[in-house]
């Protein structure tokens, strides 16, 4: 079950690691709807919930999901260790680096790093 957390005054909907995988736009839209309904500014999805297709940028799964979150102006946090995926793909490393420079999508290793990013 997704939970709402207040992190430094920002409402974050945190998804559990054992939930269904985030396969594409339809699943993203479901999370966006729930997050928006509950007043969340961000949705934190554990990296375990993302399939290999998400991390292979040529599939466009990551781009479609990120675009959907941007369209609805809801932040997306990928929470967890993705170092294995980063080691395998320079394109993914570039994508993550660019996302982390922005204000819409972040890749963070743990909840503490997310809290640090949300510190005013």
């Amino acid at each position: 079950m997704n939970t709402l957390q207040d992190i430094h005054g920002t409402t974050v909907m945190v998804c559990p690691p054992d939930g269904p995988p985030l396969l594409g736009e339809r699943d993203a839209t479901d999370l966006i709807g729930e997050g928006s309904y509950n007043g969340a500014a961000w949705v934190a999805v554990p990296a375990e919930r993302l399939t290999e297709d998400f991390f292979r940028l040529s599939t466009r799964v990551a781009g479609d999901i990120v675009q959907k979150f941007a369209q609805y102006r809801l932040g997306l946090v990928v929470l967890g260790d993705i170092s294995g995926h980063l080691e395998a793909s320079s394109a993914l490393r570039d994508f993550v680096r660019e996302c982390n420079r922005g204000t819409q999508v972040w890749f963070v290793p743990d909840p503490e790093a997310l809290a640090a990013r949300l510190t005013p």
Side-chain angles (χ1 to χ4, degrees):
M1 171 177 268
N2 300 329
T3 60
L4 292 178
Q5 294 182 11
D6 181 291
I7 303 175
H8 302 298
T10 300
T11 304
V12 179
M13 185 174 83
V14 179
C15 303
D18 60 351
L22 187 59
L23 299 173
E25 287 183 70
R26 181 180 207 107
D27 298 321
T29 302
D30 291 344
L31 285 178
I32 290 164
E34 183 180 348
S36 295
Y37 177 79
N38 287 302
W42 289 88
V43 174
V45 178
E48 303 95 315
R49 300 257 312 258
L50 301 171
T51 66
E52 288 297 317
D53 283 346
F54 181 90
F55 295 105
R56 252 182 289 152
L57 297 182
S58 62
T59 66
R60 296 183 157 176
V61 171
D64 291 345
I65 290 171
V66 166
Q67 179 63 34
K68 193 57 75 173
F69 272 87
Q71 181 180 356
Y72 286 93
R73 295 184 176 93
L74 190 65
L76 171 64
V77 176
V78 175
L79 188 62
D81 180 17
I82 61 166
S83 58
H85 298 288
L86 294 175
E87 290 172 13
S89 171
S90 62
L92 181 62
R93 282 193 303 274
D94 293 342
F95 177 72
V96 168
R97 184 174 36 257
E98 288 303 313
C99 286
N100 282 342
R101 288 181 182 165
T103 59
Q104 186 66 44
V105 179
W106 295 337
F107 291 80
V108 298
D110 52 46
E112 292 77 20
L114 174 57
R117 292 287 311 249
L118 291 173
T119 299

